């Protein structure tokens, strides 16, 4: 089930998911709708597959690894309060511009490995979306579990090469899933290919 604020549209000869909002990265637009490019967004791949992410219209979201706002801008188009954590100042500058058009998007220049540094700002959330691409991706998800409502969901993108460039991605994914199981029950874990090589898409619920 997808949120009503995410629809399938054909724009400029391309068909795919779209949200209603101000354009951000040169994506095709029509009548206020903007196409959501699966090759630039791991979350779009999951929504396109109709995976139950828990995201709905008005959901409260904690987004870890917002970068310059490509994916989180689409999320904020249909979600409720959307807290966007990014620790690199350069993409944060772009993210601030994206947030200027979205009053429900709250950029936080913080390190997702230090959730105590934003715990005073972030309320309990329905969904954590995580796409940080650093070593220790399961640890980041476990550290931020405290923000997730009991019936909430974690939507995690795991980049194998960020954990260890030399190892077989399947072995890395297995290890990440094992670590994640220390705080979450995994509902879905599938490769995000062909859109994102060596990435695993995971949906999990807190245990
Ligand atoms: N999710 C983005 C999208 O789809 O538009 C792309 C995210 S990019 C793959 C990963 C981002 O995570 C980078 O901008 C990086 O600076 C950020 N990041 C990595 N480690 C982080 C951390 N510990 N805390 C906050 N941001 C982090």
């Amino acid at each position: 089930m997808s949120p009503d604020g995410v629809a399938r549209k054909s724009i400029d000869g391309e068909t795919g998911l779209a949200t209603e909002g101000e354009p951000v990265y040169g994506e095709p637009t029509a009548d206020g709708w903007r196409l959501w490019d699966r090759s630039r967004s791991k979350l779009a791949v999951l929504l396109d597959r109709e995976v139950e992410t828990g995201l709905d219209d008005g959901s409260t979201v904690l987004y870890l690894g917002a970068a310059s706002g490509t994916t989180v801008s689409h999320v904020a188009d249909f979600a409720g309060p959307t807290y966007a954590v990014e620790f690199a100042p350069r993409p944060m500058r772009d993210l601030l511009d994206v947030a200027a058009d979205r009053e429900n998007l709250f950029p936080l220049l913080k390190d997702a490995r230090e959730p105590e540094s934003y715990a005073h700002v972030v309320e309990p959330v329905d969904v954590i979306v995580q796409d940080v691409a650093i070593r220790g991706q399961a640890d980041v998800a476990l550290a931020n579990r405290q923000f997730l409502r009991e019936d909430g969901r974690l939507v995690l993108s795991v980049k194998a090469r960020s954990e260890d460039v030399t190892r077989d991605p399947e072995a890395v994914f297995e290890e990440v899933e094992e670590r994640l199981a220390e705080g979450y029950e995994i509902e879905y874990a599938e490769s995000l290919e062909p859109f994102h090589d060596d990435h695993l898409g995971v949906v999990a619920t807190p245990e």
Side-chain angles (χ1 to χ4, degrees):
M1 193 191 71
S2 268
D4 288 343
V6 181
R8 201 165 286 280
K9 298 273 178 190
S10 292
I11 302 175
D12 294 350
E14 286 178 47
T15 301
L17 297 183
T19 61
E20 242 179 329
E22 291 297 316
V24 169
Y25 51 98
E27 67 278 25
T29 58
D31 303 324
W33 289 85
R34 39 196 294 260
L35 278 184
W36 192 347
D37 186 348
R38 280 176 300 183
S39 63
R40 298 185 62 164
S41 172
K42 292 120 205 171
L43 180 59
V45 175
L46 295 175
L47 289 171
D48 190 62
R49 289 180 187 168
E50 300 189 3
V51 173
E52 186 45 84
T53 60
L55 283 168
D56 210 345
D57 302 287
S59 294
T60 304
V61 178
L62 173 60
Y63 193 109
L64 306 172
S68 39
T70 303
T71 298
V72 79
S73 63
H74 284 288
V75 172
D77 285 346
F78 63 86
T82 303
Y83 301 93
V85 175
E86 170 56 54
F87 75 171
R90 198 176 164 154
M92 176 53 75
R93 281 202 285 276
D94 296 332
L95 184 60
L96 289 171
D97 287 340
V98 171
D101 293 322
R102 291 170 175 83
E103 61 184 24
N104 57 327
L105 178 58
F106 306 111
L108 299 168
L109 182 62
K110 298 286 183 191
D111 188 329
R113 292 167 296 192
E114 296 168 4
E116 62 283 0
S117 69
Y118 46 85
H120 59 294
V121 180
V122 177
E123 59 193 301
V125 299
D126 301 308
V127 179
I128 295 176
V129 180
Q130 181 184 316
D131 182 19
V132 290
I134 49 164
R135 196 182 195 121
Q137 292 162 97
D139 291 337
V140 172
L142 290 167
N144 284 273
R145 182 186 173 286
Q146 59 184 295
F147 299 109
L148 204 51
R149 290 190 212 278
E150 245 176 66
D151 58 349
R153 281 177 177 235
L154 166 74
V155 181
L156 168 68
S157 164
V158 182
K159 184 175 180 180
R161 277 176 290 143
S162 297
E163 296 293 335
D164 190 337
V165 279
T166 64
R167 286 182 63 203
D168 170 27
E170 290 308 320
V172 172
F173 294 150
E174 209 171 293
E175 205 170 274
V176 170
E177 285 185 55
E178 265 172 35
R179 176 83 175 109
L180 209 55
E182 290 175 30
Y184 291 94
E185 187 170 336
I186 296 173
E187 308 280 343
Y188 175 96
E190 296 287 341
S191 161
L192 295 177
E193 290 185 20
F195 299 100
H196 303 275
D197 289 346
D198 297 335
H199 281 76
L200 185 73
V202 175
V203 178
T205 49
E207 272 208 322

